Amino acid sequence: MTVAELTKIREEKADLIKVRKLIAEEGAKLAENTGYRKQILVCSVAGCASSGSAKVVETLESELAKQGLDKEVLVVKTGCFGLCAMGPIMIVYPEGAFYSQATPEGVKRIVEEHIKNGNVVKDLLYKETVTADGDIIPVSETNFYKKQKRISLRNCGVIDPDSIEEYIGNHGYEALAKVLNDMTPDDVIQELLDSGLRGRGGAGFPTGRKWSFAKASKGDIKYVACNADEGDPGAFMDRSILEGDPHSVLEAMAIAGYTIGASQGYIYVRAEYPTVVKRLGVALKQAREYGLLGENILGTGFNFDIEIRLGSGAFVCGEETALMTSIEGNRGEPRPRPPFPAVKGLFGKPTVLNNVETYSNIPEIIRKGAAWYSSMGTETSKGTKVFALGGKITNVGLVEIPMGTTLREIVEEIGGGIPNGKKFKAAQTGGPSGGCIPAEHLDTPIDYESLSALGSMMGSGGLIIMDEDNCMVDVSKFYLNFTVDESCGKCTPCRVGTKRLLQFLEKITAGNGEPEDLEKIEALANHMKSSSLCALGQSAPNPVLSTLRYFKDEYVDHIENKHCSSGVCKDLLQYEIIADKCKGCTLCARNCPVGAISGNVKEPHVIDKEKCIKCGVCMQNCKFGAIVRK
């Protein structure tokens, strides 16, 4: 393929894509040039797929065929729109009608009333897009979307991820053509340095510096690698990018190959991501067929290809040296650094390794320039960050916000607040490697330095929200359970330290904690941070240290009062019947699985605390609110 042929495809597909970004009159005019009166985009990945989007698509295509509309309406199975809590999602263009929680029955109405007769079905729209007066507003003006800026997610929910032509139609491979024809490797590195792009998978090392080290390293063979392992609980950012826009990562890796002098790349993907693996396979095949991977790319003499390597789900393989060891066919264990991968990486050769989100930014930086990218964010943290927003939050989903957006804006505006009238308690950022940020720091801007100062970290982008019903000691125990299981065991501080920390937490939540345990926990945690071989062990104590820092009173309450104020730690719970409220209906006694409740009919009952297994069945069955949990 030549640059001229690439440009021709882009021009042919441009209007098709533009319609999906516009609404009303302008979109309708452009629609005439595409051959389709309407386009219907349906999310077909991750959350929406689990909510039944496949059945929605099947019904949609069937109903359109019945109405004889299948030739004039294009149905596109696309990537994540972000608002996962409202899936399955489908959008009808050129109107931009945003239908949420779509069902096969609802689809039949939409085809009949909207697609055939031109009347938007307002009661099936995402409620935030319909005003009190019944007017329809663009979804981009709703609270969830209006403060977002989609760069990494720019094609998710916009293009068909299985179509390289649609990717090209939205400026795909334009950056690669620019780099190969108009820029030197040093030009690329300087552009990345000027942009301020930092790695989106860990501590935030400047991407341009990493590439410059690899370029400067001596070696006849060099490699480019992509970390798509994404092992954090609750994280699905990289998965969504690859499911919705795989070519953006392939293009960026080719740019990296040109820049450092590599001809081979590897994408390390979790085997538990079958849709990602399938989609990457399709994208690689298409890129090779179009001459955008392989030999003599765009007639420039540059050769570069990419292979997929499957990971077995080991969290430690998110660490760069363990990942490379796994790609080499060995057990995934970290290696001492230095030497760093830019000097001695895959197969002992200089290697650039970035994660999916980092790569996804690069084509847009090259295409639009460093000044454009660096105009967003803060002084030290440029651009945007993608977060998987989950936990006790109304709008569970995928969000991309400019760096510097406050945690309060994410929780209260984008996230829609805490459901059921509960109070915000903490936000966990960075997964098992991060920390918990309390309500007093809700106005903290999201950037690398601010999160680090609070004892947390950016990490890959998991953002778990907790409310007043969460016990912070139990939260720490949850993450320690995870890291104990995921430690590779190579170094003693991590192998033994994580287990000892977990034992302390189990002791405290069982009601056997002692005051001196807190000092022992802190000393052990700090020793692990300073002496573990890799980032897994070094960061494993972060959830414990941050909860000790901000929620020490809960630890003290567990130890001194044998009490869990959130009612989570089962061994510390007590159930009691309030005599004045008890009607003696016997319902609690009849449902108690261990016969711990006794009393006469129409008289107050009592619970034998020695027999009680604290299952809560009595409280669930009481119709008079006579049973309380203490």
Side-chain angles (χ1 to χ4, degrees):
M1 172 175 283
T2 65
V3 174
E5 290 170 328
L6 190 69
T7 303
K8 182 180 179 183
I9 293 172
R10 183 173 298 115
E11 291 172 348
E12 289 174 348
K13 296 292 182 180
D15 284 348
L16 192 75
I17 307 301
K18 284 178 182 176
V19 172
R20 301 172 194 172
K21 298 179 179 181
L22 302 167
I23 59 172
E25 292 81 5
E26 191 173 359
K29 291 176 183 177
L30 283 170
E32 297 175 3
N33 302 327
T34 69
Y36 296 102
R37 181 168 60 84
K38 294 189 187 297
Q39 299 182 45
I40 305 177
L41 275 64
V42 185
C43 175
S44 62
V45 299
C48 285
S50 65
S51 300
S53 64
K55 189 65 177 177
V56 167
V57 172
E58 181 184 329
T59 304
L60 180 59
E61 292 176 336
S62 173
E63 290 299 308
L64 288 171
K66 286 180 184 178
Q67 298 282 2
L69 300 170
D70 51 318
K71 303 299 183 184
E72 53 186 283
V73 177
L74 178 65
V75 176
V76 180
K77 291 184 286 186
T78 187
C80 181
F81 294 109
L83 197 55
C84 304
M86 291 289 107
I89 290 170
M90 55 184 282
I91 306 182
V92 179
Y93 290 102
E95 298 93 329
F98 191 100
Y99 293 105
S100 62
Q101 296 180 317
T103 63
E105 293 72 25
V107 164
K108 294 176 182 179
R109 284 187 59 199
I110 292 168
V111 171
E112 178 67 29
E113 298 175 35
H114 182 176
I115 308 304
K116 183 179 178 182
N117 297 321
N119 300 313
V120 174
V121 188
K122 291 184 180 180
D123 61 296
L124 298 182
L125 293 174
Y126 174 46
K127 64 180 181 179
E128 300 294 330
T129 64
V130 183
T131 68
D133 296 328
D135 297 326
I136 301 173
I137 62 171
V139 71
S140 58
E141 294 179 16
T142 62
N143 286 333
F144 182 77
Y145 288 102
K146 66 184 178 184
K147 288 196 172 182
Q148 292 194 51
K149 175 71 176 176
R150 288 165 74 95
I151 298 175
S152 288
L153 301 176
R154 62 190 176 276
N155 286 323
C156 295
V158 174
I159 67 169
D160 176 356
D162 283 333
S163 170
I164 190 173
E165 291 194 343
E166 288 206 359
Y167 177 72
I168 293 171
N170 201 28
H171 304 286
Y173 290 105
E174 190 175 309
L176 179 61
K178 179 179 178 180
V179 163
L180 296 183
N181 288 281
D182 303 324
M183 300 176 74
T184 67
D186 287 334
D187 291 337
V188 177
I189 289 171
Q190 191 60 52
E191 197 76 13
L192 293 181
L193 289 171
D194 292 344
S195 74
L197 177 66
R198 297 170 64 172
R200 295 302 194 248
F205 192 81
T207 304
R209 285 180 62 193
K210 179 183 284 191
W211 288 24
S212 69
F213 294 154
K215 176 183 178 294
S217 294
K218 304 296 183 184
D220 54 337
I221 297 175
K222 297 181 181 181
Y223 295 103
V224 173
C226 174
N227 179 357
D229 192 53
E230 193 168 53
D232 289 9
F236 52 95
M237 302 76 59
D238 291 352
R239 172 182 185 169
S240 296
I241 292 171
L242 288 174
E243 286 182 339
D245 190 19
H247 284 283
S248 66
V249 175
L250 305 188
E251 181 179 10
M253 290 180 69
I255 292 171
Y258 168 78
T259 303
I260 71 166
S263 60
Q264 181 63 51
Y266 293 93
I267 301 181
Y268 188 82
V269 186
R270 301 182 71 75
E272 294 95 329
Y273 283 177
T275 304
V276 169
V277 175
K278 179 181 178 182
R279 199 141 276 171
L280 275 173
V282 171
L284 286 169
K285 182 174 183 292
Q286 292 174 339
R288 292 181 186 122
E289 289 174 349
Y290 276 69
L292 295 165
L293 285 178
E295 297 184 0
N296 193 26
I297 296 173
L298 294 175
T300 61
F302 170 58
N303 304 325
F304 187 78
D305 209 343
I306 299 171
E307 294 181 22
I308 299 173
R309 289 288 186 270
L310 299 183
S312 300
F315 179 64
V316 72
C317 287
E319 194 277 336
E320 59 182 6
T321 62
L323 182 151
M324 293 178 190
T325 303
S326 182
I327 289 178
E328 293 166 356
N330 302 309
R331 187 174 188 267
E333 292 181 332
R335 303 191 285 243
R337 300 180 305 171
F340 291 95
V343 176
K344 187 178 181 181
L346 263 174
F347 307 107
K349 303 296 183 180
T351 304
V352 153
L353 171 68
N354 290 111
N355 82 330
V356 170
E357 186 184 345
T358 309
Y359 280 125
S360 67
N361 281 280
I362 289 170
E364 286 294 272
I365 291 173
I366 297 298
R367 196 172 70 83
K368 294 184 176 180
W372 164 79
Y373 191 80
S374 63
S375 68
M376 295 173 279
T378 66
E379 184 63 30
T380 57
S381 300
K382 302 296 185 182
T384 61
K385 181 69 188 78
V386 180
F387 286 99
L389 188 59
K392 307 290 187 64
I393 193 75
T394 300
N395 295 331
V396 172
L398 203 64
V399 304
E400 184 171 4
I401 47 98
M403 291 281 196
T405 302
T406 66
L407 187 56
R408 184 184 299 278
E409 289 175 287
I410 296 175
V411 173
E412 296 181 357
E413 298 179 42
I414 297 172
I418 313 299
N420 304 317
K422 299 289 185 177
K423 293 180 181 178
F424 171 86
K425 188 172 191 177
Q428 165 81 11
T429 68
S433 304
C436 296
I437 302 171
E440 64 197 76
H441 293 297
L442 258 177
D443 292 308
T444 297
I446 300 294
D447 60 48
Y448 292 97
E449 285 70 29
S450 296
L451 293 182
S452 179
L454 293 176
S456 190
M457 64 185 296
M458 188 78 71
S460 57
L463 183 54
I464 309 299
I465 307 302
M466 287 163 271
D467 68 11
E468 58 195 272
D469 292 336
N470 286 103
C471 167
M472 302 313 292
V473 186
D474 182 71
V475 167
S476 296
K477 189 171 72 172
F478 167 80
Y479 284 111
L480 254 299
N481 260 308
F482 180 83
T483 48
V484 164
D485 287 342
E486 295 298 336
S487 172
C488 73
K490 186 173 183 178
C491 75
T492 302
C494 180
R495 181 182 68 250
V496 177
T498 53
K499 289 183 180 178
R500 286 294 294 132
L501 276 181
L502 179 59
Q503 286 169 358
F504 276 121
L505 295 178
E506 289 174 336
K507 179 183 176 184
I508 292 171
T509 56
N512 301 316
E514 301 169 277
E516 56 267 30
D517 288 341
L518 299 185
E519 292 182 8
K520 293 177 181 178
I521 286 173
E522 197 159 355
L524 175 57
N526 286 320
H527 177 70
M528 289 175 60
K529 288 177 72 70
S530 63
S531 59
S532 293
L533 175 61
C534 81
L536 190 154
Q538 293 162 10
S539 61
N542 284 347
V544 183
L545 289 173
S546 66
T547 51
L548 264 176
R549 178 178 176 182
Y550 297 115
F551 301 96
K552 190 171 184 177
D553 58 324
E554 292 196 27
Y555 283 85
V556 172
D557 193 29
H558 280 64
I559 293 171
E560 295 184 356
N561 303 319
K562 312 302 179 188
H563 176 247
C564 176
S565 59
S566 301
V568 171
C569 298
K570 190 175 179 181
D571 290 329
L572 302 182
L573 295 181
Q574 286 190 349
Y575 288 89
E576 186 175 302
I577 297 176
I578 303 172
D580 291 345
K581 289 188 176 182
C582 181
K583 306 299 182 183
C585 70
T586 75
L587 194 59
C588 59
R590 283 182 280 134
N591 283 280
C592 179
V594 293
I597 302 176
S598 60
N600 297 321
V601 177
K602 296 185 178 181
E603 293 181 4
H605 283 45
V606 293
I607 299 175
D608 185 334
K609 292 183 172 61
E610 294 298 320
K611 287 185 178 181
C612 178
I613 60 172
K614 303 166 185 178
C615 63
V617 170
C618 57
M619 190 173 176
Q620 294 169 14
N621 282 277
C622 182
K623 299 179 180 180
F624 306 102
I627 302 177
V628 294
R629 184 177 62 194
K630 293 185 175 181

